[in-house]
Every structure is written in C-alpha cells, then in structure tokens.
Amino acid sequence: MNNINWEEIASKLPKIDDTRIQTAKLSDMDYWMLKAAAAVKKRGVAADSASLLSASVRRLTSEWCELIAFQAAQEGISFEEMFIRLAGKE
C-alpha cells in the first residue's frame, strides 16, 4: 500500500468547494458529550466535530485502503482506478 499514486487520484477527482458533512442523528448522550467536550476546550461543536472526524479518517485510512485494494484486485483494476470510482460516486 506504500506505492499509491495520490497525485494521480487527486488530479482525476473534482475540486470540492464545501466539504462539510451532515451526519445522521447522534444519540442524546453522544451529543451532550460532544457539546460538553467542545465547551471545556473552548471550541465550537462544529469545529470540534470536524477535528474528530478528520482524526478518525486518518486513523482508519490504512484499513480502508486495504478494503479498496481488495476490491480493486477482485475487479482486476488498479487501486487508483477503484478509489476514483468509489470516491466519485454520488
């Protein structure tokens, strides 16, 4: 997984002006925990949520890349082609 051509991938995907994501409903306690944690850090809930999501994406990237590579191998295409296909889906 070390030889992924991220530059090729980035060049073939559209630029996104707004990458904000709306989540599904959180449990009440998850929401209150997020709100309290953001407040104690003197941050907004939206900013803290974005940081939390980004940290999770970075932590899971290796595992997700393995899944994408597995599917690419099953279909006989490169990781890059599979990533672009999956990331480009609406």
Side-chain angles (χ1 to χ4, degrees):
M1 298 304 326
N2 295 333
N3 58 349
I4 297 170
N5 189 339
W6 292 111
E7 289 177 12
E8 175 189 345
I9 290 170
S11 73
K12 293 184 178 175
L13 289 170
K15 300 291 183 232
I16 307 295
D17 292 329
D18 183 4
T19 59
R20 286 177 279 191
I21 296 172
Q22 185 171 348
T23 69
K25 185 179 182 325
L26 299 173
S27 73
D28 289 352
M29 190 49 68
D30 286 347
Y31 174 79
W32 293 122
M33 180 58 71
L34 182 60
K35 191 167 180 179
V40 77
K41 294 183 280 182
K42 297 180 178 25
R43 294 185 56 152
V45 171
D48 217 41
S49 297
S51 294
L52 181 62
L53 182 58
S54 289
S56 293
V57 168
R58 283 187 220 101
R59 183 176 56 82
L60 292 167
T61 292
S62 178
E63 179 182 332
W64 291 343
C65 284
E66 288 179 21
L67 291 171
I68 294 166
F70 179 78
Q71 186 163 345
Q74 292 224 310
E75 295 190 26
I77 63 174
S78 72
F79 174 92
E80 290 80 4
E81 290 173 294
M82 180 56 69
F83 187 97
I84 292 164
R85 180 190 303 172
L86 295 169
K89 282 187 175 181
E90 288 295 321

